[in-house]
Amino acid sequence: MKYHKIDSSLFINNRKNFMSKMKPSSLAVFNSNDIYPIGADSTMPFAQHRDIFYLSGVDQEESILVMFPDCPKENHREILFLKETNAQIAVWEGEKLTKEAALVTSGIKTVYWLKDMDKIMFELMTQCDTVYINTNEHYRASVETETREDRFTKWLKDKYPAHSVAKSNPILQRLRSLKTQAEIDLMQQACDITEKGFRRVLNFVKPDVWEYNIEAEFMHEFLNNSSKGFAYTPIIGSGTNANVLHYIENNQQCKAGELILIDAGAEYANYASDMTRTIPVSGRFSKRQRDVYDAVNRVKNDATKLLVPGALWAEYHVEVGHLMTSELLGLGLLDKADVKNEDKDWPAYKKYFMHGTSHHIGLDTHDYGILTEPMQANNVFTVEPGIYIPEEGFGIRLEDDVVIQDKGEPFNLMRNIPIEVEEIEEIMNA
């Protein structure tokens, strides 16, 4: 992996916290992701399943984690099953985890090769009553592909039908939504790499560059700083392309006088950053562009202050809607009649700001979190208001990643990334 070694205490504590929530006489199983085929002998780059990484630090395919805190055999209370490595595999694919290296990475002392899994699992299943399976219950999830985790669950339930089944996801939703300082430090590194990419782009952009040229500049900087690359598919939308919320073609030329909406963030050690900035192709904002930009920035700053312990998700978004409505009135995009006659289920401001303001972020760009419960310190959220005006040929969105604090305003992980008009114009015209 490109990232620097992570202290195993992070994963040891994560397992301890998870196991403290398990039922008596139960075990939990977590699988790595598949390596997905493209065609012929080609595959997509491997991306580890976030849950097994969160609990073990293992970043390798075909790995299985088993946790059984009440196991009669003490050495079977935490087990890793790994793809067996050998000299031939090392020559063709590179070195895989040895049992000794797996201990250093995860803090797990008992490591078996996968060929021993059936035998060991049979013994474990005779000693437990309940098995925790790992299902994807994220509120945005829409998965058609059968995953390695899905296949394992089918095998387990078919082979051991008399066992009770419980879900790991409710436990993980709570644990993963609250970040430790070690995780916040990793996310800060991801944000710092994103900052380097953005500053590079500010010095690069000029009329007639292509959107994919800008994407390449980010990737160059990300790879040079121990990142695998983008945490998600980047959006580089010039001109009216910015009004397509999930525009990812990035194949148009950037014309003088246009704005470019850039939604891009680096990953680091599987942790995501998520940044949006909007910059002028020619290095200067027009009066109208500046007015809209400043309105979006004010909403972002005021919305950030609302992210405090005890705040409720639904009420937060209602209040942000009020902030945005005020700004749209000031810009002349709405009038008082629009607001007075609005549909309460689709307020007038939604014509120009139609998406949510914040989402959890962490190991996943849209991370685990329970939206029906009050916010807590160490939740990490994006804040990303926008105003989209197709009839004027531009859209503006601004986004930072912030950590809720026990008291006071959230801590901005992107505090060093240029966002004020004056700083952006100064760098672009240096």
Side-chain angles (χ1 to χ4, degrees):
M1 300 305 146
K2 293 181 173 68
Y3 55 86
H4 301 297
K5 191 173 293 295
I6 301 170
D7 192 304
S8 63
S9 61
L10 170 62
F11 311 113
I12 292 169
N13 288 331
N14 289 347
R15 290 195 301 276
K16 179 181 177 181
N17 290 335
F18 185 95
M19 287 189 285
S20 72
K21 308 294 184 184
M22 292 173 64
K23 297 178 180 180
S25 189
S26 66
L27 66 79
V29 186
F30 298 88
N31 282 266
S32 291
N33 277 335
D34 282 317
I35 297 178
Y36 289 98
I38 297 172
D41 63 345
S42 299
T43 62
M44 298 180 68
F46 175 68
Q48 182 59 295
H49 194 301
R50 300 313 193 223
D51 292 333
I52 191 173
F53 182 82
Y54 175 80
L55 293 165
S56 71
V58 171
D59 208 346
Q60 181 174 294
E61 73 279 7
E62 298 183 44
S63 305
I64 300 174
L65 168 67
V66 178
M67 295 185 292
F68 186 1
D70 295 334
C71 186
K73 288 186 178 179
E74 186 175 349
N75 67 321
H76 279 178
R77 292 174 186 172
E78 296 182 340
I79 301 173
L80 273 176
F81 293 98
L82 299 178
K83 178 180 181 179
E84 185 170 2
T85 189
N86 56 46
Q88 185 177 13
I89 289 173
V91 168
W92 285 92
E93 302 178 26
E95 187 174 284
K96 301 295 181 181
L97 282 173
T98 63
K99 293 181 178 181
E100 294 76 18
L103 168 61
V104 172
T105 296
S106 67
I108 295 173
K109 297 178 181 178
T110 304
V111 182
Y112 293 112
W113 300 131
L114 278 174
K115 61 183 175 63
D116 298 318
M117 192 200 71
D118 281 4
K119 179 180 68 176
I120 301 297
M121 279 300 296
F122 178 80
E123 177 184 335
L124 298 177
M125 293 298 282
T126 64
Q127 297 168 340
C128 76
D129 299 318
T130 301
V131 57
Y132 281 83
I133 60 172
N134 193 28
T135 52
N136 184 352
E137 299 180 23
H138 190 277
Y139 62 96
R140 290 180 183 240
S142 178
V143 182
E144 295 183 7
T145 303
E146 184 179 56
T147 66
R148 189 177 191 86
E149 200 83 88
D150 295 333
R151 295 196 305 277
F152 186 87
T153 296
K154 285 183 179 179
W155 171 82
L156 195 71
K157 292 168 76 173
D158 181 62
K159 189 171 179 67
Y160 302 101
H163 282 71
S164 297
V165 173
K167 299 190 301 182
S168 296
N169 193 263
I171 300 175
L172 288 169
Q173 288 272 4
R174 294 183 184 281
L175 294 181
R176 281 184 49 185
S177 70
L178 295 175
K179 305 300 188 283
T180 64
Q181 188 58 52
E183 291 181 288
I184 292 169
D185 290 344
L186 291 169
M187 295 182 71
Q188 183 66 74
Q189 287 184 263
C191 291
D192 291 347
I193 296 170
T194 299
E195 178 194 353
K196 291 180 179 181
F198 183 60
R199 289 183 180 275
R200 181 186 183 93
V201 162
L202 287 177
N203 287 309
F204 169 79
V205 166
K206 59 184 179 299
D208 298 329
V209 301
W210 293 76
E211 293 165 347
Y212 55 74
N213 297 145
I214 298 170
E215 183 177 350
E217 292 297 308
F218 273 108
M219 181 59 90
H220 178 97
E221 201 67 29
F222 290 176
L223 290 177
N224 260 346
N225 286 277
S226 301
S227 167
K228 284 188 297 188
F230 293 99
Y232 52 93
T233 305
I235 297 167
I236 315 288
S238 60
T240 198
N241 293 334
N243 296 307
V244 181
L245 297 183
H246 292 146
Y247 174 80
I248 57 173
E249 285 78 7
N250 303 345
N251 62 2
Q252 298 299 303
Q253 199 168 24
C254 305
K255 300 299 186 181
E258 291 182 336
L259 298 180
I260 311 169
L261 189 156
I262 299 170
D263 191 336
E267 72 79 47
Y268 181 78
N270 293 313
Y271 282 85
S273 65
D274 190 354
M275 176 204 74
T276 308
R277 294 292 187 268
T278 306
I279 64 174
V281 174
S282 301
R284 300 282 182 193
F285 291 87
S286 72
K287 173 68 166 60
R288 177 61 168 172
Q289 291 167 348
R290 167 84 189 248
D291 288 345
V292 177
Y293 187 101
D294 286 344
V296 174
N297 202 15
R298 283 192 294 270
V299 173
K300 185 190 73 70
N301 291 336
D302 290 342
T304 300
K305 296 173 185 176
L306 300 175
L307 293 172
V308 295
L312 296 174
W313 186 258
E315 293 178 1
Y316 163 73
H317 279 95
V318 169
E319 184 57 36
V320 173
H322 293 154
L323 295 171
M324 182 59 78
T325 298
S326 177
E327 294 291 350
L328 293 172
L329 287 167
L331 291 167
L333 291 168
L334 296 179
D335 58 34
K336 292 181 179 179
D338 293 324
V339 178
K340 181 179 179 181
N341 299 322
E342 69 183 6
D343 180 348
K344 297 303 180 185
D345 294 326
W346 190 256
Y349 78 86
K350 288 287 188 180
K351 179 179 179 181
Y352 298 100
F353 174 38
M354 61 292 295
H355 58 78
T357 309
S358 298
H359 59 76
H360 291 84
I361 183 170
L363 279 168
D364 287 299
T365 305
H366 298 112
D367 208 26
Y368 285 156
I370 303 173
L371 303 184
T372 55
E373 296 184 1
M375 298 177 189
Q376 301 179 61
N378 288 346
N379 287 150
V380 185
F381 287 106
T382 64
V383 188
E384 49 180 308
I387 295 176
Y388 309 92
I389 320 174
E391 59 271 24
E392 297 185 33
F394 70 90
I396 295 173
R397 181 167 67 250
L398 299 172
E399 177 183 22
D400 284 335
D401 304 339
V402 304
V403 187
I404 293 182
Q405 304 293 291
D406 285 316
K407 295 180 181 179
E409 295 182 18
F411 179 75
N412 189 351
L413 296 172
M414 294 186 163
R415 63 201 175 279
N416 296 324
I417 301 179
I419 195 168
E420 299 300 330
V421 165
E422 292 81 6
E423 185 176 8
I424 288 173
E425 290 185 341
E426 180 181 355
I427 296 171
M428 294 188 76
N429 289 280

